Amino acid sequence: MKAALRLIYPPQCLGCGGAVEQDGALCPRCWRDCEFVSGCACRRCGVPLPGGDADGGAVDDASLICDDCLTITRPWRHGRAALVYRGVGRDLVLALKHGDRPDLAGPLGGWLAMAAAPLVREGMLVAPIPLHPRRLLQRKFNQAALLSAQTAKVHGLTHYPSLLYRTRQTPAQDHRSLPERFANLQGALAVAPRHQADLLGRSVLLVDDVMASGATMTAAAEALLAAGAGKVCITVLARAVKE
């Protein structure tokens, strides 16, 4: 049956739709234009850093911290990213987020789960950055929740898709200054009262599709810590970088 389906619906590249050997893969051209964060990266936010391969390094290596994380307070402990937010990586994120392509969450969530592996600890809760109900109604699904569900599944962790909620709808972050971005998100996220008892003392892995300034992750991590969470780590599918 599977062989027959492959003849009718051959595997397609996630990026361009061209022919590939297996589902969930990229063609050679898209692979070259998709920047995976596989080398030296900031241990706080996951942004790539110049230097050698850091795959074997310890997560607590304090020397691998970017300039932004040295100057901006990060309430979370460690962070990882799967991709750089440009080229094919950016196209895939936008296709998932705005292109009505929830089918991409499986393979992209697998990449995110691999990136998050060094952060995973036994008993950790996995939670996505939530959407405001109005935005969720417009988009039909929360892309961060699809990615976090896949990450929790891969690592055998408990998924809490409704751990956090939006206290208000916030304007888009585009074209805002750094202080304005943080002010826009301040107090905009909170822990759902029904989950507060489950959260006490537990480590949390926060998941989102893209991180730019870190304002959203900051608001989420602060809300978790204020509600009694233990260590908070973050992981994102794609990390925006300065050109």
Side-chain angles (χ1 to χ4, degrees), residues 6 15 22 50 60 89 119 166 209:
R6 283 183 175 276
Q22 60 184 22
D60 292 314
L119 309 178
R166 296 266 181 173
D209 55 345

Side-chain angles (χ1 to χ4, degrees), residues 141-203:
F141 60 86
N142 179 3
Q143 70 282 352
L146 296 182
L147 294 170
S148 62
Q150 184 70 9
T151 301
K153 179 181 178 181
V154 169
H155 293 294
L157 299 174
T158 304
H159 187 221
Y160 273 71
S162 57
L163 182 62
L164 291 162
Y165 71 97
R166 296 266 181 173
T167 62
R168 67 178 189 275
Q169 188 168 15
T170 54
Q173 294 280 71
D174 297 345
H175 310 302
R176 292 176 181 269
S177 68
L178 189 64
E180 288 172 342
R181 288 178 178 233
F182 279 84
N184 186 38
L185 270 297
Q186 188 173 12
L189 296 166
V191 172
R194 66 182 182 276
H195 293 317
Q196 286 188 348
D198 297 331
L199 177 65
L200 289 177
R202 302 282 294 276
S203 295

Side-chain angles (χ1 to χ4, degrees), residues 11 80 227:
R80 291 292 175 108

Side-chain angles (χ1 to χ4, degrees), residues 3 48 70 76 85 110 127 132 155 205 217:
L70 287 173
W76 63 84
Y85 186 62
H132 189 274
H155 293 294
L205 181 64
M217 284 296 195

Side-chain angles (χ1 to χ4, degrees), residues 62-130:
S63 65
L64 294 174
I65 303 296
C66 71
D67 291 343
D68 284 347
C69 289
L70 287 173
T71 57
I72 300 173
T73 300
R74 305 294 198 191
W76 63 84
R77 186 74 60 86
H78 300 297
R80 291 292 175 108
L83 307 169
V84 173
Y85 186 62
R86 62 186 172 204
V88 168
R90 180 178 181 274
D91 293 343
L92 289 172
V93 171
L94 292 178
L96 171 64
K97 191 171 185 175
H98 299 299
D100 199 19
R101 291 287 310 278
D103 57 289
L104 291 173
L108 300 186
W111 295 351
L112 190 151
M114 290 178 61
L119 309 178
V120 171
R121 298 293 181 267
E122 185 177 355
M124 201 174 220
L125 305 180
V126 182
I129 295 296

